[in-house]
């Protein structure tokens, strides 16, 4: 209780390379194919942030933020 299940808040290219979206890291994935670390991230959909998209992105392509999950959710709203 009182803790987020999301590990960190990042910015990802979404829906294209020229646009960044706030995303919540749900899980870190280690690639067995040697292609590097990946993140499973949740991108909330507005105006209802409880719905959204889960996508897998390369860890090297995200921009890490210092926002807490609570701050990021407030930013989205």
């Amino acid at each position: 209780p009182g803790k987020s299940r999301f590990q960190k808040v990042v910015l990802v290219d979404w829906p294209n390379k020229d646009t960044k979206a706030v995303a919540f890291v749900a899980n870190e994935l280690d690639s067995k194919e040697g292609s590097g670390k990946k993140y499973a991230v949740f991108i909330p959909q507005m105006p209802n942030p409880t719905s959204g998209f889960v996508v897998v992105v390369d860890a090297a392509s995200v921009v890490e933020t210092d926002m807490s999950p609570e701050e990021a959710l407030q930013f989205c709203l």
Side-chain angles (χ1 to χ4, degrees):
K3 290 191 123 193
S4 174
R5 295 194 184 263
F6 296 117
Q7 298 172 0
K8 54 184 146 184
V9 179
V10 296
L11 301 177
V12 297
D13 295 332
W14 184 265
N16 57 52
K17 294 265 185 207
D18 297 326
T19 307
K20 298 284 188 209
V22 172
F24 300 89
V25 176
N27 200 3
E28 291 186 23
L29 310 169
D30 288 321
S31 175
K32 294 179 178 147
E33 300 153 3
S35 58
K37 183 168 56 171
K38 298 189 182 298
Y39 292 141
V41 299
F42 173 72
I43 302 170
Q45 185 176 3
M46 294 302 131
N48 181 6
T50 60
S51 65
F53 303 93
V54 175
V55 297
V56 176
V57 297
D58 290 323
S61 70
V62 304
V63 176
E64 294 195 20
T65 71
D66 60 355
M67 283 191 281
S68 71
E70 292 79 17
E71 291 171 323
L73 189 57
Q74 288 177 356
F75 172 81
C76 291
L77 295 175

